[in-house]
Amino acid sequence: MSAATETALGLTESKGIGARIAKLVIYSGLFVVFAGPLLALLVSSFNHISDPTQLSVVPKTPTLDNFRIAFDHGVLKYLLNSFFVVGFGLLLQVAVSVLAGYALARKVFPLMTVVLVAILATMMLPEEILALPLTLVLGDLPLVHLNLMGTLAGMIVPLGAWAFSILVMTEFMKDVPRELEEAARIDGAGELRIFAQIILPLCKPALGVIGVFGFTMIWDQYLLPLLVATNSDSYTLPLALRTLRIDPVVTPGVVMAASLLALLPSVIVFLLFQRSFARGLTAGALKG
Amino acid sequence: MSVSEAPAATVEPPPAEQPGRGQWWSPVRRTGNRRAPGRAAGQRSRQGGKWWVPWLFLAPALILFTYFKFIPMGRALVMSAQDVRPYLGNTWVGTANYSEILGSESFRSALKNTVVLAIGQTFGSMLLGFCLALLVEGQTRKLSFIRSAAFLPVVVPMAVVAELWRIMYHPTSDGLLNQVIGLVGLGPSGFINDPDTSLASIAVTGIWRGAPYDMMIFLAGLAGIDRGLYEAATVDGASTRQRILHVTLPGLRPVFAILFVLAAVRGFRSFTEVFLLTNGGPNGSTEVVMTLIYKLGLEQNRLGVGSAGAVLLFLATLVLTVCVQLLRRRRTA
């Protein structure tokens, strides 16, 4: 097979000085368009200049002032709130998903299809559309009559129900060979033991996928915290960015500094777990 | 693929579940008196033969879905037919909320903006994502660096994207993007401050964040295309354009369908970027259904009318999804 037939354009394999220059131009163009704005954000958060028009990719007078001022405005508290929400939210979401995935993948029971369809249907139900009634539910949970408005718990509990990760877990758990489970059963392992020591350890790649996706999804949450937070004490960092910007004494450099803190965790998680990420994208989109 | 429970329950030996009683893989049977009537019943229920075991595993998910998806959905449907008055009791108004919201000028303009924004973002992201995927398809290490860099916008929280673009869209001639378009002799543009360009500016931000996502899914689709087809096409003397037209595009058809649904739903529900970039302004030129619902429900406390809007938006999403799925089914059948 000749090299030029490897890809649709045959671009990456083409040699010669003209092709090289063309490639260089195309790829640096891509880099500028997609990574450039983020680079500008990074540089501006360390820049001493406060003028919004001076957002630039050239470091001028590096300083940590922007971060100092941001911390004076409570950014540390908002960051901790965010970490709290993402930590417990992810824990809850993963726990709920592996349990539900186990039942849906490894058991047969009446009404199983109904449950599966109901969970799948929520994927077609964007949380934005539920915003108004959700505030009422969170203000007075049916049966238990708890008021979660204004609490971090109110931002965490609804995150537990995410059809995507249940689906990924179910698909993955289906592929674990039946013989393993039967062997364990014959050796006297109970249901919990089979779940925790046989099935779950074999699903580590899927755990990676739902962990990474859950993290980015929760870290990106905006509407839910906006609905639940009744005062700035329970703001997450993304919410606080708007308050910071509206504050007349705060300069854009400070907003960029806080923004940098708000984007770093998800970027770091993405860079560390790129493989899981790519797997999840195809699992979520192409299997549907 | 699924357990048949009945034989398992009869064959199973007693479990060695208690900690310290040896490992589960031990070939030695721990107990011999498995027919002892008193113990057998209790043990069997622990072993998964019982009907309620799957429900126990499903319980957390079902409770959370009920509380935070199904009850709110039901409430939205009920409220959309009610005049919601806190502390005074709700009264049934039938379809009045629907006729009010459908008749209101602001809803119709918000609906128009939503559709325009969704179409612009959907096709913009798909077109750009497709071109990007073709450009960065391949195996070299350099490319994986470019791919990661291009993918970054997707993982950046929307709130940060909005704040960043707000500053880049600074409307005077020394704003970052105005400087850029000034290089080719354009502008300065008001971007999000100008009613004529505000919606397009939001669409551009959405495309910037959406295209890399589409690119990744296209790349996964491209990887599934048979290399031999390219070779055959080249041997037959097909140009690059013909190769894309007759090999790549047909091979990607299912990917296009899925991406279309995903992107369109994403466009319909767009809230955060609009809320943070313009909050509907200037002059309502960027008001979308979601920001309108938010204002109706949480700022004006008109929960009934807001819910009616939400239900309509949900129906639109549903119809779109079902249509595309049906089209897809028919084509593959």
Side-chain angles (χ1 to χ4, degrees):
Chain A
M1 187 184 287
S2 75
T5 56
E6 281 295 313
T7 61
L9 288 184
L11 180 76
T12 49
E13 289 81 12
S14 51
K15 298 274 187 290
I17 192 78
R20 265 160 206 265
I21 292 175
K23 273 191 276 184
L24 191 72
V25 170
I26 289 170
Y27 294 141
S28 41
L30 284 185
F31 188 81
V32 167
V33 170
F34 288 99
L38 298 172
L39 211 60
L41 186 158
L42 175 73
V43 172
S44 310
S45 64
F46 290 101
N47 249 354
H48 194 62
I49 298 148
S50 59
D51 190 352
T53 61
Q54 298 297 321
L55 193 72
S56 81
V57 286
V58 191
K60 282 168 191 157
T61 40
T63 170
L64 286 174
D65 280 358
N66 291 329
F67 289 92
R68 198 179 44 72
I69 299 169
F71 276 80
D72 288 343
H73 279 79
V75 159
L76 184 63
K77 181 180 69 190
Y78 305 133
L79 191 63
L80 289 178
N81 280 346
S82 280
F83 276 125
F84 189 84
V85 170
V86 83
F88 283 93
L90 193 58
L91 212 61
L92 181 70
Q93 197 177 78
V94 169
V96 167
S97 309
V98 293
L99 289 172
Y102 179 73
L104 291 170
R106 318 283 309 176
K107 302 281 166 201
V108 192
F109 52 97
L111 296 179
M112 189 167 104
T113 328
V114 177
V115 172
L116 201 61
V117 168
I119 290 178
L120 273 177
T122 62
M123 289 183 101
M124 284 294 112
L125 189 64
E127 68 228 67
E128 282 81 0
I129 289 168
L130 300 180
L132 301 184
L134 192 61
T135 56
L136 300 181
V137 170
L138 284 170
D140 180 21
L141 281 184
L143 292 178
V144 286
H145 297 294
L146 274 174
N147 181 3
L148 294 180
M149 290 297 276
T151 65
L152 290 180
M155 303 174 196
I156 292 171
V157 199
L159 297 172
W162 198 29
F164 169 80
S165 33
I166 295 183
L167 216 65
V168 170
M169 271 339 279
T170 309
E171 288 296 314
F172 211 89
M173 282 183 171
K174 271 183 188 165
D175 294 342
V176 176
R178 178 86 23 221
E179 290 76 18
L180 278 177
E181 188 184 331
E182 271 154 18
R185 241 178 245 287
I186 288 168
D187 287 338
E191 194 69 50
L192 272 180
R193 202 172 263 256
I194 289 173
F195 164 71
Q197 292 189 330
I198 312 270
I199 310 285
L200 207 52
L202 289 171
C203 294
K204 270 186 197 143
L207 283 178
V209 170
I210 66 169
V212 173
F213 268 78
F215 186 96
T216 7
M217 174 267 207
I218 297 174
W219 197 261
D220 190 26
Q221 284 291 314
Y222 192 85
L223 185 57
L224 183 63
L226 180 71
L227 295 172
V228 175
T230 43
N231 64 63
S232 65
D233 278 341
S234 49
Y235 277 6
T236 57
L237 191 49
L239 277 191
L241 292 180
R242 180 162 178 261
T243 350
L244 266 184
R245 182 233 299 163
I246 292 170
D247 194 328
V249 298
V250 166
T251 61
V254 177
V255 178
M256 288 297 101
S259 299
L260 184 66
L261 294 173
L263 74 80
L264 268 185
S266 49
V267 167
I268 290 172
V269 165
F270 163 67
L271 292 177
L272 286 179
F273 299 98
Q274 282 194 52
R275 202 170 283 262
S276 297
F277 218 97
R279 203 195 286 251
L281 275 181
T282 46
L286 296 187
K287 267 191 184 164
Chain B
M1 151 181 167
S2 39
V3 197
S4 72
E5 294 300 327
T10 51
V11 177
E12 272 161 23
E17 265 205 60
Q18 294 86 343
R21 284 200 52 192
Q23 273 127 350
W24 56 265
W25 62 79
S26 160
V28 182
R29 296 273 165 87
R30 293 277 145 194
T31 43
N33 59 338
R34 110 169 95 120
R35 309 226 169 239
R39 296 190 56 186
Q43 279 156 4
R44 239 177 246 160
S45 67
R46 246 194 295 169
Q47 286 161 15
K50 292 289 180 189
W51 63 269
W52 44 262
V53 168
W55 294 105
L56 211 60
F57 279 92
L58 276 172
L62 290 183
I63 292 171
L64 289 176
F65 274 104
T66 308
Y67 265 115
F68 303 114
K69 302 282 179 197
F70 302 132
I71 291 181
M73 191 63 221
R75 281 256 182 115
L77 282 174
V78 171
M79 281 198 305
S80 70
Q82 281 180 334
D83 182 17
V84 182
R85 297 172 306 168
Y87 308 114
L88 293 171
N90 304 338
T91 50
W92 207 258
V93 292
T95 55
N97 288 331
Y98 286 96
S99 41
E100 180 181 342
I101 197 155
L102 283 172
S104 83
E105 189 54 48
S106 56
F107 181 76
R108 267 181 288 172
S109 118
L111 195 64
K112 199 195 84 204
N113 290 338
T114 308
V115 171
V116 170
L117 188 65
I119 290 177
Q121 281 187 0
T122 303
F123 286 101
S125 310
M126 275 175 66
L127 191 68
L128 190 58
F130 180 63
C131 296
L132 286 177
L134 287 181
L135 288 176
V136 302
E137 189 194 3
Q139 290 300 328
T140 22
R141 183 162 291 197
K142 250 182 293 173
L143 283 176
S144 77
F145 172 74
I146 292 288
R147 278 202 286 244
S148 302
F151 193 72
L152 280 181
V154 180
V155 292
V156 171
M158 188 49 105
V160 173
V161 171
E163 294 303 335
L164 174 63
W165 279 78
R166 245 188 104 78
I167 297 180
M168 298 208 310
Y169 277 142
H170 196 76
T172 59
S173 61
D174 45 2
L176 186 76
L177 279 179
N178 269 325
Q179 283 179 358
V180 172
I181 63 170
L183 292 178
V184 287
L186 290 171
S189 166
F191 293 116
I192 52 173
N193 289 56
D194 182 345
D196 293 330
T197 52
S198 51
L199 200 59
S201 305
I202 292 180
V204 167
T205 307
I207 291 171
W208 180 77
R209 196 176 188 249
Y213 180 89
D214 293 3
M215 170 191 83
M216 279 301 192
I217 296 185
F218 275 127
L219 277 173
L222 284 173
I225 291 179
D226 185 4
R227 305 291 120 184
L229 290 176
Y230 288 141
E231 194 177 17
T234 314
V235 169
D236 288 345
S239 66
T240 308
R241 197 180 66 91
Q242 283 170 321
R243 256 169 38 170
I244 291 174
L245 221 59
H246 298 296
V247 179
T248 314
L249 284 180
L252 287 178
R253 200 176 278 159
V255 183
F256 273 106
I258 291 156
L259 271 183
F260 180 77
V261 180
L262 286 176
V265 171
R266 197 166 63 206
F268 271 145
R269 61 196 275 195
S270 57
F271 170 78
T272 312
E273 65 266 48
V274 182
F275 180 73
L276 286 174
L277 279 171
T278 60
N279 199 10
N283 270 332
S285 62
T286 59
E287 192 84 271
V288 289
V289 175
M290 268 313 302
T291 53
L292 187 72
I293 291 174
Y294 181 84
K295 281 173 194 164
L296 280 172
L298 290 137
E299 286 168 13
Q300 302 168 23
N301 251 322
R302 308 195 59 203
L303 289 167
V305 185
S307 297
V311 171
L312 290 175
L313 192 60
F314 170 62
L315 288 179
T317 319
L318 196 69
V319 166
L320 188 80
T321 314
V322 171
C323 282
V324 174
Q325 291 296 329
L326 284 180
L327 272 176
R328 229 181 102 209
R329 223 64 25 106
R330 193 185 302 163
R331 222 173 257 168
T332 48

